Amino acid sequence: MTVARGRQFFQNPGPTNIPDRILRAMDRPALDFMGGEFRAIAEECYAGLRQVFKTDGAIIAYAGNGHGAWEAALVNVFSPGDKVLVPETGYFSLNWGKHAKELGLEVETLPGDWRKGVDPAAVEARLREDKAHTIKAVMQVHNETATGVANRIKEIRQAIDASKHPALYMVDTISSLGSIDFRMDEWQIDIAVGGSQKGLMLPPGMAFTAASAKALKASESAKLPRVYWDWRKLVTSNRQTSFNGTAPVQLFYGLQEAVRMLAEEGLDQVFARHAKLAEATRRAVRAWRGNDGPELYSSDPRTHSNSVTTVLMQEGHDAEKPRGIALDRFNVSLGGGLDKLDKRVFRIGHMGDLNEPMLLGALAAIEMSLLLAGVPHGKGGVAAAMEYLASEGAS
Ligand code: PLP
């Protein structure tokens, strides 16, 4: 058995690195979750989350994961047979749609190019056609974690407005929240879905929905069965006032620390740091593209993701080989390909608690793994990332 020394470089696109501050904050005894001390912690968490979602509206937290938040968003506003439109972006958009179908909704997928992200004009055109307003909602993934493509949420809002369609606008922010700018109120999002384990730097186990007044109104008459996720039991006057069963107390300790950390750094700085690390990653991949090597999966510069980069292998090369070497030989953990991208891509997560040397270490391990896997590629990916990061620091 080999013994690994030093920390694993964890570059998965979720869960992500948990900062020591958050680990220490959670390393505390339990607390009466019905008592005043817990209530004060929870209030600080909700206030912090409102800053992160950029909303004054209701935020509902649950013990659960992203799939739970997906379901919470659906069962609270729809009735059996309601029709929803899912712009196709990749694995996660299709799976949210599948989840809706299994709950008894009629799901229409708006076909899309996985490498480019959603065309707002296509959303507008489809909604304009729907003169009878049978489509009740647009279910949009902000950052498609499978492809490394971040959709243009504000422009899609404008497209919905231009079509004069009343559909609810639902956005999955699971791999964008706290990493890429998202503005719930300004962009008039009706429901935003989030999870703890990505930009919020927490362990998996907490799920969130943020709901507009229009969404809360829709929840009054929705008829899909709902028990655990039922907003009516959890929310009073726009605020979550109760929890179903035992609250995940230690996750709230961690969340309190996370929202403090995000506020200390400043959200704009957080987004700028993600943008810088993402651009450095892309420059490394562009250098590897030399010699007919791997390339960026995202093909439209307007929609490159700042939280995850998906790297497409050239024909005849299995992405699992360099990914396996990175893990086994260098203790660097990367994401694999999902759905039709299985073995075709590997994914470099760069969201949450990350800085330049951590990223450069991971990129160096990937460059060595490409070499050891016998994958032809251009040299100098790490050097290109270093050059960019050094010049950005100076500016
Ligand atoms: N949506 C997106 C965009 C995701 O990236 C993920 C998970 O990676 C999910 C939904 C599902 O979240 P979970 O794995 O916490 O259920």
Side-chain angles (χ1 to χ4, degrees):
M1 201 183 96
T2 46
V3 177
R5 294 281 179 226
R7 283 199 174 189
Q8 181 175 74
F9 274 48
F10 194 73
Q11 300 295 146
N12 285 57
T16 61
N17 294 300
I18 306 172
D20 292 346
R21 262 178 75 174
I22 291 184
L23 289 171
R24 285 194 202 104
M26 290 191 304
D27 187 9
R28 275 152 61 193
L31 185 68
D32 174 9
F33 67 94
M34 310 284 264
E37 196 183 343
F38 178 73
R39 197 68 236 157
I41 293 168
E43 284 309 326
E44 185 181 335
C45 291
Y46 289 115
L49 283 175
R50 282 195 288 277
Q51 305 282 321
V52 179
F53 278 97
K54 299 193 175 169
T55 184
D56 287 328
I59 294 180
I60 306 107
Y62 324 81
N65 64 9
H67 280 70
W70 271 354
E71 182 159 329
L74 298 168
V75 295
N76 274 293
V77 293
F78 296 124
S79 298
D82 277 352
K83 183 168 175 175
V84 290
L85 183 69
V86 178
E88 177 184 355
T89 58
Y91 174 82
F92 287 103
S93 67
L94 295 179
N95 269 278
W96 197 12
K98 201 163 146 243
H99 203 123
K101 191 158 180 249
E102 284 171 14
L103 285 168
L105 302 183
E106 189 190 333
V107 178
E108 180 180 325
T109 305
L110 186 67
D113 182 336
W114 285 26
R115 298 188 72 172
K116 286 200 166 70
V118 171
D119 176 9
V123 176
E124 180 180 337
R126 179 64 193 95
L127 291 178
R128 275 187 194 279
E129 273 171 24
D130 180 38
K131 299 219 176 338
H133 296 167
T134 55
I135 294 171
K136 300 285 178 238
V138 175
M139 287 166 50
Q140 179 66 54
V141 171
H142 185 184
N143 185 73
E144 176 54 74
T145 324
T147 60
V149 169
N151 288 291
R152 292 176 281 154
I153 296 303
K154 180 182 172 184
E155 286 167 63
I156 298 168
R157 166 81 263 165
Q158 288 163 344
I160 298 172
D161 288 347
S163 72
K164 303 203 166 38
H165 196 291
L168 292 170
Y169 189 23
M170 305 169 67
V171 180
D172 170 336
T173 70
I174 288 177
S175 61
S176 59
L177 192 74
S179 303
I180 301 172
D181 195 14
F182 174 77
R183 305 176 183 202
M184 173 100 186
D185 288 358
E186 191 183 320
W187 298 344
Q188 295 169 63
I189 312 298
D190 292 301
I191 303 179
V193 165
S196 53
Q197 74 272 24
K198 302 206 195 241
L200 291 176
M201 309 172 287
L202 294 164
M206 249 183 149
F208 309 100
T209 48
S212 71
K214 188 171 157 189
L216 289 175
K217 180 93 192 122
S219 78
E220 288 167 15
S221 53
K223 301 235 163 15
L224 278 181
R226 51 185 149 156
V227 182
Y228 182 71
W229 309 110
D230 193 342
W231 292 344
R232 294 168 303 182
K233 289 191 281 186
L234 304 174
V235 178
T236 330
S237 307
N238 242 12
R239 295 288 178 256
Q240 181 166 14
T241 40
S242 55
F243 218 86
N244 262 329
T246 309
V249 174
Q250 274 72 12
L251 282 168
F252 271 96
Y253 295 155
L255 178 58
Q256 181 184 37
E257 197 64 23
V259 295
R260 285 180 183 176
M261 287 174 71
L262 290 171
E264 275 168 23
E265 187 177 354
L267 271 184
D268 288 343
Q269 281 71 32
V270 171
F271 300 145
R273 175 169 54 81
H274 280 78
K276 185 164 74 170
L277 296 176
E279 178 57 26
T281 307
R282 290 191 287 268
R283 288 186 185 219
V285 180
R286 286 194 197 105
W288 297 334
R289 176 68 185 140
N291 211 6
D292 285 333
E295 65 182 305
L296 283 175
Y297 186 74
S298 169
S299 66
D300 181 347
R302 289 175 302 178
T303 51
H304 289 330
S305 165
N306 285 340
S307 62
V308 53
T309 296
T310 298
V311 182
L312 176 66
M313 299 299 285
Q314 62 269 51
E315 281 304 322
H317 290 276
D318 181 347
E320 287 301 290
K321 200 164 170 200
R323 190 169 88 93
I325 294 171
L327 182 64
D328 298 341
R329 172 93 189 258
F330 301 115
N331 207 13
V332 171
S333 181
L334 304 167
L338 298 170
D339 202 324
K340 70 177 185 188
L341 298 181
D342 182 31
K343 300 190 172 61
R344 301 275 297 121
V345 304
F346 62 84
R347 295 174 299 145
I348 309 169
H350 33 75
M351 66 183 109
D353 190 44
L354 199 68
N355 63 19
E356 286 108 326
M358 291 160 86
L359 180 76
L360 289 170
L363 293 175
I366 297 169
E367 199 162 318
M368 290 188 283
S369 301
L370 291 173
L371 186 69
L372 293 174
V375 177
H377 63 282
K379 306 266 175 239
V382 180
M386 284 168 63
E387 197 178 324
Y388 170 73
L389 290 172
S391 68
E392 275 299 290
S395 64

